[in-house]
């Protein structure tokens, strides 16, 4: 089975079919993508791939529709218990937040690619070993890389790093 060939031959038609079937382009794209993932995980017998893809994708789209209806009904019948979103922030707070985000992004862009990658991976909870593998360095130098990145960020963000000594 050549998955790339099957994707090339059937993806567009499958998405078009699912979009017509569901009326929702996002649901169609998600169902088509998941169908191809399942094709890779558990290929159908040779010669039946196209029909299999359409059947699996249709079932996935139907399940998405059922899930959406169940959620809607639950929210409809439990309106008093349904969680509500936080109110939008006042315009001045949203502006300040956007400005802070811009300063941080600009400061991050000033770091080298390795420094930025190491720092952001650390913030996402990666181990030093995982960071070292991703960045292409040793685990011993990850700490130095992160410390150097923080030292470069601190003055750009107006933060005073505490002296460790």
């Amino acid at each position: 089975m050549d998955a790339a060939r099957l994707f090339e031959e059937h993806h567009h038609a499958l998405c078009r079919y699912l979009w017509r079937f569901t009326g929702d382009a996002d649901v169609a794209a998600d169902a088509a993508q998941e169908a191809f993932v399942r094709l890779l995980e558990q290929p159908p017998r040779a010669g039946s791939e196209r029909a299999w893809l359409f059947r699996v994708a249709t079932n996935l789209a139907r399940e998405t529709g059922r899930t959406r209806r169940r959620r809607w009904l639950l929210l409809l019948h439990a309106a008093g218990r349904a969680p509500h979103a936080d109110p939008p922030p006042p315009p001045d707070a949203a502006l300040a937040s956007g400005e802070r985000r811009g300063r941080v992004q600009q400061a991050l862009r000033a770091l080298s690619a390795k420094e930025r990658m190491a720092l952001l991976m650390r913030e996402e909870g990666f181990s030093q070993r995982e960071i070292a593998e991703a960045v292409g360095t040793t685990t011993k130098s990850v700490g130095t890389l992160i410390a150097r990145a923080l030292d470069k960020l601190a003055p750009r963000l107006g933060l005073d790093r505490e002296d460790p000594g």
Side-chain angles (χ1 to χ4, degrees):
M1 174 193 72
D2 182 10
R5 180 186 56 80
L6 288 169
F7 184 87
E8 193 68 33
E9 290 177 2
H10 303 300
H11 182 260
H12 183 72
L14 181 60
C15 285
R16 186 177 56 242
Y17 158 78
L18 289 168
W19 179 70
R20 290 176 178 154
F21 181 80
T22 63
D24 186 323
D26 291 332
V27 171
D30 289 347
Q33 178 180 338
E34 181 62 25
F36 277 100
V37 168
R38 291 185 183 189
L39 175 86
L40 293 172
E41 292 173 342
Q42 196 170 30
R45 63 182 163 75
S48 66
E49 294 93 350
R50 184 171 190 266
W52 184 91
L53 274 170
F54 276 70
R55 184 178 68 246
V56 168
T58 300
N59 289 338
L60 289 165
R62 283 182 178 155
E63 182 57 36
T64 299
R66 285 191 292 266
T67 300
R68 283 183 171 182
R69 278 190 295 281
R70 280 193 303 268
R71 286 182 182 153
W72 183 79
L73 287 172
L74 284 170
L75 288 174
L76 181 66
H77 295 299
R81 297 184 318 196
H84 297 283
D86 292 336
D92 57 333
L95 179 63
S97 176
E99 289 172 355
R100 277 192 308 272
R101 189 175 13 266
R103 275 198 332 269
V104 170
Q105 288 173 342
Q106 185 177 14
L108 285 170
R109 282 191 298 272
L111 300 176
S112 73
K114 273 187 171 183
E115 292 167 339
R116 186 170 50 247
M117 190 174 182
L119 185 62
L120 293 174
M121 287 181 76
R122 184 194 78 165
E123 290 303 309
E124 289 297 322
F126 285 88
S127 70
Q128 283 195 314
R129 182 186 53 75
E130 292 169 319
I131 295 170
E133 287 175 14
V135 172
T137 190
T138 66
T139 54
K140 290 182 181 180
S141 55
V142 168
T144 304
L145 193 61
I146 292 171
R148 189 173 39 216
L150 290 172
D151 285 341
K152 287 180 182 179
L153 280 180
R156 290 181 177 275
L157 297 175
L159 305 173
D160 292 326
R161 294 241 348 197
E162 291 184 5
D163 189 285

